[in-house]
Amino acid sequence: MPIIKVLSSLDAARIQWYHFKAIIVAGMGLFTDAYDLFCIAPVMKMISHVYYHGDSIETAVLSTSYAIALLGTATGQLVFGYLGDRVGRRRVYGLCLIIMILSSFGCGFSVCTTSRSCVMVSLGFFRFILGLGIGGDYPLSATIMSEFANKRTRGAFIAAVFSMQGLGILASSAVTMAVCVAFKRGGGGLEAEGKAPVEADVAWRLILMIGALPAALTFYWRMLMPETARYTALVENNIVQAAKDMQRVMSISDISDETTTEPPPPPPPPSYKLFSRRFLRLHGRDLFAASVNWFLVDVVFYTSNLLLSEIFSHYSDKPSSSTPENVYDAAFDVAELGAIIAACSTIPGYWFTVYFIDKIGRVKIQIMGFFFMAVVYLVAGIPYNHYWSKHEPSNKGFMVLYGLIFFFCNFGPNTTTFIIPAELFPARFRSTCHGISGAAGKLGAIVGTAGFLWATMKVNDGNQVYSQVNRMRVCFLILGGVCIAGIFVTYFFTKETMGRSLEENEHEQDDNDDESEDEPQFVHGQSSASTLLQTR
């Protein structure tokens, strides 16, 4: 019984134009995701000036506004990840993009302009819907890219898709700064009695709506993408159509006979279902490792972003952005800081991963990233009081250390946790399991953002500055401990997938189970995909 040639041909295919096209089309979804998730920080600064007259937004409202999109993202990962395996990657992919486009405009058109409660509720609703679309884009982008790629450069292709997040973060900062400069020059700074100018209520809405443009521009090309050959062949059992689809978009040799052969008879029912005892025996460890690692790294990644403006406000000589002097300057400062970190640390980290992922391996990069983040957190956290006891030169060294956190997060677990779940699981569970892993990550993001917002909120006591510094120090030490936990989970539970075809990963696990149980529906030495092979 020969193997399915279209799949083996994909594994051995040379790098060609369609691979790069798929990276751009799939990556623009991640670009939009990052833009929408990370533009909210400067937007909340503007809202605090427009509706709270420069006062700080209550911690409960602020943590809810951050968490609501993350909750929607986790829900979208579960729902659309599951639908990606049931309905097909391509169909659900387009639906997610439509949701992202419409909800981005919805955020900008949040109803009410007089009641801050009404604005925040309306914005929260549309941010949740936006999160649903963003969440669906995660498992589908990773799964589609993994199933199109060859096995030699699969990691680099998936990492390149994910690296578009860095560009999305940079774009959100650039757009925010451009909008702030334009509105400041056109509308001035303050109205009477310290109120923000009326135009500022338009500015933050414009920033949110611009996030819909990248997704809208790629919608046409996303709809032209065929269903992946692995889904068509292994889940729908239509090898002929899979071969035809791949010949239409890629140059693949030795599959001409599969485009003319009659489709094989329907396969027997799957030998096991999701979360069955056999699934947990075969894939439970992989799902545990992928979910826990993603949870841990998102606790670190989102908390680090949240603490960014808090930490660097100590270094800046500018007046505090909480003062009502200028709504545009407040948002500009937050966006400028995000742009510096993205350009100097985040984006280089992504592209180091793209270059090294298929040379070093996923597991080594993930352990390395967790290790160096733990070192930086402990080195920066233990003497935290010393760094801010004086301005020069110790806090400049602290800024460099904090930038290294973002570099090693992205040249490390933030990227590898996106890649590994797209490679470990069988085709009929791949999108679902990636969605479960990602949802666990967003749960970690919620824990990080909401928990650390409450933990570091200002307390009116006799020595407020000392209390705040001590709590920040504790936060650093906790995050260092989280990174150490990530090292252990990765080392003991995560499997290496570099250089192996997607079917080989499943093949190894099913063979091990066959040796212990000798189940009749599998032939020893073949993967579960062998139920779909043809007899010539």
Side-chain angles (χ1 to χ4, degrees), residues 147-453:
E147 293 182 344
F148 273 125
N150 64 59
K151 65 181 181 181
R152 291 179 294 102
T153 58
R154 183 178 61 238
F157 286 161
I158 304 175
V161 170
F162 194 61
S163 71
M164 297 296 284
Q165 275 201 336
L167 298 178
I169 296 172
L170 186 62
S172 70
S173 297
V175 168
T176 300
M177 290 189 290
V179 169
C180 288
V181 169
F183 274 76
K184 183 179 179 180
R185 290 178 178 176
L190 291 174
E191 287 186 342
E193 299 179 0
K195 294 181 180 179
V198 176
E199 294 83 0
D201 194 40
V202 178
W204 69 263
R205 297 171 187 269
L206 179 61
I207 292 170
L208 292 174
M209 287 191 289
I210 289 175
L213 296 181
L217 292 174
T218 58
F219 178 76
Y220 172 76
W221 299 107
R222 187 172 284 199
M223 291 296 94
L224 290 181
M225 295 179 72
E227 185 57 82
T228 68
R230 285 183 163 90
Y231 183 86
T232 305
L234 299 178
V235 180
E236 295 183 337
N237 190 37
N238 192 339
I239 299 173
V240 174
Q241 186 61 46
K244 289 180 178 179
D245 287 342
M246 292 304 98
Q247 277 197 328
R248 181 163 58 88
V249 296
M250 299 177 68
S251 175
I252 302 178
S253 59
D254 299 327
I255 63 170
S256 57
D257 53 342
E258 286 189 343
T259 63
T260 58
T261 307
E262 287 297 319
S271 58
Y272 58 92
K273 296 181 179 180
L274 185 67
F275 294 130
S276 65
R277 297 177 71 177
R278 180 157 191 202
F279 171 87
L280 294 177
R281 186 162 55 251
L282 291 173
H283 308 292
R285 169 178 166 171
D286 295 333
L287 186 58
F288 167 80
S291 300
V292 172
N293 281 323
W294 208 329
F295 175 90
L296 295 174
V297 74
D298 271 10
V299 169
V300 174
F301 182 71
Y302 281 85
T303 304
S304 298
N305 279 284
L306 187 67
L307 297 177
L308 190 60
S309 59
E310 177 78 23
I311 292 168
F312 284 92
S313 65
H314 290 276
Y315 177 73
S316 177
D317 293 328
K318 298 177 181 179
S320 172
S321 60
S322 62
T323 60
E325 60 174 26
N326 193 290
V327 57
Y328 302 119
D329 287 342
F332 186 95
D333 290 344
V334 175
E336 182 183 38
L337 181 58
I340 293 171
I341 292 295
C344 297
S345 298
T346 303
I347 294 176
Y350 281 125
W351 285 100
F352 265 70
T353 305
V354 172
Y355 183 78
F356 287 106
I357 189 73
D358 289 312
K359 296 178 173 64
I360 299 176
R362 287 78 163 136
V363 172
K364 291 180 180 178
I365 288 178
Q366 188 160 299
I367 291 175
M368 178 199 68
F370 272 130
F371 173 77
F372 281 110
M373 283 196 296
V375 169
V376 172
Y377 275 121
L378 296 178
V379 168
I382 293 174
Y384 187 81
N385 295 21
H386 167 74
Y387 285 112
W388 301 112
S389 62
K390 53 183 179 179
H391 280 289
E392 297 289 345
S394 59
N395 56 4
K396 290 185 177 180
F398 184 88
M399 292 178 69
V400 175
L401 282 176
Y402 202 73
L404 289 176
I405 291 173
F406 291 93
F407 176 80
F408 284 109
C409 188
N410 293 295
F411 182 34
N414 191 44
T415 306
T416 53
T417 52
F418 181 79
I419 296 171
I420 292 173
E423 301 178 311
L424 278 175
F425 303 100
R428 66 181 184 274
F429 301 135
R430 188 167 294 136
S431 178
T432 301
C433 290
H434 195 288
I436 293 171
S437 304
K442 290 302 169 282
L443 178 61
I446 293 172
V447 169
T449 54
F452 282 93
L453 267 174

Side-chain angles (χ1 to χ4, degrees), residues 67-95:
I68 194 71
L70 296 172
L71 180 62
T73 302
T75 305
Q77 287 173 315
L78 294 173
V79 172
F80 292 112
Y82 176 81
L83 291 176
D85 286 331
R86 302 283 79 79
V87 180
R89 286 67 156 124
R90 177 181 174 274
R91 295 176 185 175
V92 182
Y93 210 28
L95 177 60

Side-chain angles (χ1 to χ4, degrees), residues 37-45 59-73 120 127 302 305-306 309 334 445-446 449-450 453:
L37 288 177
F38 287 90
C39 72
I40 193 64
V43 163
M44 293 304 294
K45 279 289 184 182
T59 300
V61 176
L62 190 61
S63 58
T64 300
S65 66
Y66 281 118
I68 194 71
L70 296 172
L71 180 62
T73 302
M120 296 304 291
R127 291 280 296 173
Y302 281 85
N305 279 284
L306 187 67
S309 59
V334 175
I446 293 172
T449 54
L453 267 174

